[in-house]
Amino acid sequence: MSGWTTPEDIRARVLREWEKGRLLASLVTGEDVFPLRIALKGPSSSELSQRFADVKAWIARLQDAARRGVRLEMRFVEHRVIGTNAVPAEIWIDSLDEALALIGKGRDAGRFQALVRDAQARCATVVPWMAKRPLRALELAAQWSRLLDIVLWLREHPRPSIYLRQVDLPGIHSKFIEQHRSVLSELCDYALQCDVIDTEATGFSQFERRLGFRAKPIPVRFRLLDTSPSLAPGLTDLTLAGEEFARFDPGMPNVFITENEINFLAFPAMANSLVIFGAGYGFDTLAQAAWLRGKSIYYWGDIDTHGFAILDQLRAYFPNAQSLLMDHDTLHAHCDHWVREDKPADRDLPRLTPPEREIYDHLRRNTWGESIRLEQEKIGFTLVARALSALNFNRQCPVQPPTQIL
């Protein structure tokens, strides 16, 4: 009807208030949401006469809605053709019950009120969270009791220093806690004392640290490229928990980091050296190894925007880290192997050297083609051996190129 307000428009307007969480939140906060005025668009003066039948049908539909909880205020309009007629002037919803009935959410509101009563009886400090995120609380109705069990357990056992698997509560397993880390973290912010929460630990992956659980150790895999020391006789490919790696200094001055497992495995023997299977953007574990700060570190990643972004991040922990095979000549010697980079990075990287920054800028500006990427495993291994030889370490183990190119 030419944009005139309809009963469907009224329902949609109330539904928006529901979707904002405002209706449920008012059950906790007592906010005066009602009466709620609904914007009204009706016929113009000319439409009243030219479309009189349509106007009558429109008014009838609104009056029908008024019988189902909508308050319709009328005004009298005098028209020189059709005379004096009563037309809708304002639309109101007067109460929460009427709004809930209009959008069919009465049962959901009842469930939410039951959750609030449960929280008030067991852990009243989380009720403000329910006012802030009422729809999320309603979504978690089936799990609500168990979530409160965990919060209350943490209140009794602050910073427990155990693994999630060791929490022993009826009907609750470690996967349940893992699946609900985000909401548990939010609830604990309301329920626990500030001094038992590590506020610097944020995000899904730092849940354990934030609340004082023991985190699953992050392994560090590395290979000893110099087999002459007797650190681990007969062993070269080793994996240690991050904390153990932080205490393990093999006394080798040269450390390589590569992101590709095959390159890691094929990395040639070299004196006084080891190679670490890379960490992508996650260098927190390596940063715990203070002994690495005294080493010569070489990073070999893909030649693309993210490869340089990872290098830049590595230098935040190890400022003297150098790049390996991430240069102009290597990139253009392998142009036949270029592929397209998915979602390239495009931010300033202040820790790159001038030559690295130049390549990075060309890549993100698409100078040589759109979203160019050279994966490190596409680089011929003869070139790898030559680059390592050029480092001119004091070698006990010569770098031997393989018989075929990887």
Side-chain angles (χ1 to χ4, degrees):
M1 294 182 179
S2 303
W4 304 343
T5 299
T6 66
E8 291 77 20
D9 295 329
I10 299 170
R11 184 179 186 280
R13 173 66 177 84
V14 176
L15 192 59
R16 285 199 297 273
E17 293 296 314
W18 171 271
E19 291 169 348
K20 292 176 185 176
R22 193 177 175 204
L23 301 187
L24 288 180
S26 69
L27 292 170
V28 180
T29 64
E31 178 190 1
D32 292 329
V33 178
F34 299 93
L36 178 66
R37 186 175 182 272
I38 307 296
L40 172 66
K41 182 178 180 181
S44 66
S45 177
S46 61
E47 287 175 325
L48 284 175
S49 60
Q50 295 172 6
R51 302 180 58 188
F52 188 67
D54 289 339
V55 172
K56 288 182 63 177
W58 172 69
I59 294 173
R61 290 192 68 199
L62 291 183
Q63 288 174 331
D64 182 63
R67 287 189 286 272
R68 290 181 281 111
V70 176
R71 175 160 59 90
L72 192 63
E73 292 189 356
M74 308 293 285
R75 66 185 176 92
F76 287 97
V77 175
E78 293 184 3
H79 195 281
R80 63 183 180 84
V81 175
I82 60 175
T84 301
N85 290 272
V87 297
E90 290 186 338
I91 299 173
W92 295 86
I93 307 295
D94 287 326
S95 70
L96 177 62
D97 287 343
E98 290 173 343
L100 294 173
L102 182 65
I103 59 177
K105 297 292 185 180
R107 181 174 297 180
D108 286 340
R111 292 170 65 205
F112 178 74
Q113 288 178 299
L115 298 178
V116 172
R117 288 192 296 269
D118 187 26
Q120 288 171 332
R122 299 182 61 197
C123 188
T125 52
V126 304
V127 173
W129 176 88
M130 303 180 76
K132 183 179 179 181
R133 302 200 59 190
L135 293 177
R136 179 63 173 145
L138 184 60
E139 183 182 305
L140 293 165
Q143 296 83 32
W144 185 248
S145 180
R146 285 178 289 172
L147 291 171
L148 290 185
D149 287 343
I150 297 167
V151 171
L152 291 169
W153 184 88
L154 280 166
R155 180 181 282 179
E156 295 296 322
H157 305 85
R159 303 200 68 78
S161 193
I162 61 175
Y163 291 111
L164 295 180
R165 178 70 178 83
Q166 294 175 274
V167 177
D168 194 3
L169 289 169
I172 294 173
H173 50 78
S174 58
K175 286 189 176 180
F176 178 84
I177 300 176
E178 291 171 353
Q179 290 165 355
H180 296 90
R181 290 181 185 185
S182 295
V183 67
L184 283 170
S185 183
E186 293 177 16
L187 291 173
C188 287
D189 284 348
Y190 285 82
L192 305 184
Q193 297 293 326
C194 294
D195 59 356
V196 303
I197 297 175
D198 184 349
T199 56
E200 293 185 0
T202 59
F204 183 85
S205 64
Q206 302 219 25
F207 173 81
E208 289 89 349
R209 176 185 157 193
R210 185 175 181 84
L211 296 178
F213 286 100
R214 294 186 66 184
K216 179 181 177 181
I218 299 176
V220 178
R221 185 180 177 189
F222 61 100
R223 288 181 56 232
L224 302 174
L225 302 176
D226 187 339
T227 57
S228 59
S230 58
L231 289 172
L235 301 177
T236 57
D237 192 337
L238 306 172
T239 300
L240 297 178
E243 293 179 358
E244 296 173 348
F245 181 78
R247 299 191 299 268
F248 177 81
D249 184 354
M252 297 181 180
N254 308 306
V255 175
F256 296 90
I257 301 174
T258 184
E259 299 291 341
N260 179 268
E261 186 175 20
I262 296 300
N263 285 347
F264 164 81
L265 293 171
F267 217 91
M270 297 190 68
N272 306 311
S273 304
L274 63 87
V275 61
I276 297 171
F277 185 24
Y281 278 104
F283 291 111
D284 290 346
T285 301
L286 294 185
Q288 297 172 20
W291 56 268
L292 280 173
R293 292 181 175 84
K295 309 298 183 183
S296 295
I297 297 178
Y298 299 86
Y299 177 76
W300 178 20
D302 297 326
I303 305 181
D304 60 10
T305 60
H306 284 285
F308 284 108
I310 294 171
L311 173 63
D312 180 82
Q313 187 180 72
L314 173 65
R315 286 187 178 136
Y317 298 99
F318 305 103
N320 296 324
Q322 302 176 58
S323 61
L324 178 69
L325 292 166
M326 297 178 69
D327 54 80
H328 180 279
D329 291 345
T330 301
L331 175 63
H332 286 272
H334 295 80
C335 58
D336 290 344
H337 299 300
W338 290 355
V339 295
R340 185 183 178 92
E341 181 181 19
D342 185 36
K343 297 180 180 178
D346 188 15
R347 61 183 184 275
D348 291 335
L349 302 178
R351 304 179 189 90
L352 297 184
T353 65
E356 293 163 352
R357 186 175 296 110
E358 182 180 2
I359 299 170
Y360 172 69
D361 286 341
H362 281 307
L363 290 172
R364 64 175 175 161
R365 293 168 186 164
N366 298 315
T367 303
W368 302 309
E370 188 173 356
S371 302
I372 285 173
R373 180 187 190 201
L374 175 62
E375 297 165 316
Q376 59 187 111
E377 61 267 33
K378 302 287 181 64
I379 297 174
F381 212 88
T382 298
L383 183 59
V384 175
R386 189 182 305 135
L388 295 175
S389 295
L391 296 175
N392 197 29
F393 294 155
N394 178 25
R395 289 188 180 77
Q396 299 169 9
C397 308
V399 176
Q400 296 291 340
T403 57
Q404 60 181 4
I405 303 299
L406 292 184

